[in-house]
Amino acid sequence: MKFFIDTANLSQIREAHELGILDGVTTNPSLMAKEGIKGEAAILYHYKAICEMVDGDISAEVISTDYASILEEGKKLAAIHPNIVVKVPMIKDGIKAIKWFSDNGIKTNCTLVFSAGQAILAAKAGATYLSPFIGRIDDTNWDGIDLIAQIANIYSIQGFKTQILAASIRNALHIVKCAEAGADVCTCPLDSILGLLKHPLTDIGLAKFLEDAKKTV
Ligand code: G3P
């Protein structure tokens, strides 16, 4: 399973990258707004900075919702760097646009996915990645991980090539469960990635080893 970081914060991206385990980055308009990135020039510049930092797929989301504008915006984003993946919402014009991008060699990430039916449609259109939002499904008292498993099963039976990119990750356990359920990629906040490090027995064991090591010097 590939690890992406789900943020537009450059210092968090750098920290995850320095761990040596980062395969890519995803962003969305809310994450860009959180960093105070405003205006087309600043947005394009910010994506360029991320691409220069991480050698992996970088999702940049369109904010248009009609076919012609999604194509225009997506082409502009794709021109920033070969690693840009155009992130397109799961709407009718989005699916049409994903098909066009797929036919024209532009990678896509179909976002805001909450059902297996949507996953089938995105795969049929040729999406490179599919982003089911695990945490937001959990928020509605359904199990987001079940959806990952269901889509993984369907894609395997049907031979779809679209990669399942589990999104809206809220904790380290989500990452483990996504790996078990067959996600191809997990995009996570930095805290959830660092949460994988934690185990009290590791801390207790290390303290004991360091204490005993004093007897050996
Ligand atoms: O990649 C989508 C993700 O950023 C949404 O996460 O926590 O806003 O549901 P969240």
Side-chain angles (χ1 to χ4, degrees), residues 6 26 28 31 87 111 133 135-136 167-170 187:
D6 194 27
T26 53
N28 63 39
L31 294 171
K87 202 170 174 189
T111 189
F133 277 28
R136 293 193 195 181
S168 185
I169 297 295
R170 302 279 171 78
T187 189

XYZ file of all heavy atoms in Angstrom, residues 6 26 28 31 87 111 133 135-136 167-170 187, ligand 1:
120
model
N -2.136 13.853 3.252
C -3.331 14.601 2.887
C -3.257 15.983 3.524
O -3.846 16.228 4.577
C -4.561 13.827 3.393
C -5.862 14.327 2.798
O -5.843 14.867 1.696
O -6.915 14.158 3.446
N -1.988 14.442 -1.449
C -3.316 14.859 -1.910
C -3.670 16.173 -1.218
O -3.275 16.406 -0.073
C -4.408 13.813 -1.594
O -4.367 13.501 -0.201
C -4.230 12.543 -2.411
N -7.013 19.344 -1.195
C -8.365 19.691 -1.632
C -8.562 21.177 -1.346
O -7.717 21.802 -0.682
C -9.420 18.784 -0.961
C -9.456 18.935 0.545
O -9.325 20.037 1.068
N -9.630 17.832 1.265
N -8.143 22.207 2.292
C -6.760 22.158 2.790
C -5.947 23.344 2.248
O -5.097 23.895 2.949
C -6.102 20.830 2.394
C -6.705 19.576 3.044
C -6.132 18.305 2.424
C -6.477 19.571 4.557
N -7.744 16.135 -9.664
C -8.758 15.594 -8.759
C -10.118 16.177 -9.158
O -10.288 17.409 -9.218
C -8.378 15.978 -7.322
C -8.975 15.098 -6.249
C -8.321 15.425 -4.916
C -8.952 14.712 -3.753
N -8.447 15.188 -2.470
N -12.924 12.123 -6.606
C -13.061 12.384 -5.173
C -14.524 12.493 -4.732
O -15.416 12.529 -5.557
C -12.282 13.678 -4.787
O -12.246 13.793 -3.368
C -12.917 14.925 -5.383
N -14.223 8.355 1.080
C -13.959 9.143 2.287
C -14.360 8.334 3.528
O -15.513 8.394 3.980
C -14.755 10.450 2.234
C -14.117 11.556 1.444
C -13.250 11.297 0.389
C -14.376 12.889 1.748
C -12.654 12.322 -0.345
C -13.793 13.928 1.035
C -12.933 13.650 -0.019
N -13.513 8.438 6.905
C -13.911 9.108 8.156
C -15.301 9.710 8.069
O -16.076 9.650 9.026
N -15.612 10.310 6.914
C -16.930 10.957 6.785
C -18.051 9.918 6.756
O -19.169 10.216 7.188
C -16.970 11.855 5.542
C -16.046 13.048 5.680
C -16.283 14.101 4.640
N -15.154 15.024 4.615
C -15.050 16.075 3.833
N -16.031 16.353 2.981
N -13.981 16.845 3.877
N -9.326 7.849 1.635
C -9.167 9.240 2.096
C -10.026 9.485 3.324
O -10.759 8.599 3.764
C -9.537 10.194 0.972
N -9.932 10.705 3.843
C -10.642 11.076 5.077
C -10.238 10.114 6.206
O -11.073 9.615 6.953
C -12.164 11.063 4.843
O -12.862 11.520 5.958
N -8.937 9.920 6.311
C -8.363 9.069 7.361
C -8.246 9.893 8.632
O -7.774 11.033 8.586
C -6.960 8.564 6.906
C -7.078 7.687 5.660
C -6.210 7.875 8.043
C -7.824 6.410 5.837
N -8.653 9.317 9.744
C -8.685 10.110 10.985
C -7.712 9.607 12.045
O -7.478 10.289 13.024
C -10.109 10.095 11.564
C -11.179 10.631 10.619
C -11.235 12.154 10.627
N -12.116 12.660 9.580
C -13.445 12.678 9.654
N -14.057 12.215 10.725
N -14.150 13.157 8.663
N -4.272 7.994 1.992
C -3.803 9.372 2.147
C -4.187 9.863 3.526
O -5.356 9.803 3.915
C -4.295 10.306 1.021
O -3.599 11.554 1.177
C -5.800 10.520 0.991
O -8.803 13.614 1.082
C -10.054 14.003 1.585
C -9.911 14.357 3.012
O -9.072 15.456 3.138
C -11.166 14.626 3.741
O -10.835 14.447 5.060
O -11.104 14.703 7.471
O -12.055 16.414 5.889
O -13.090 14.174 6.078
P -11.835 14.963 6.199
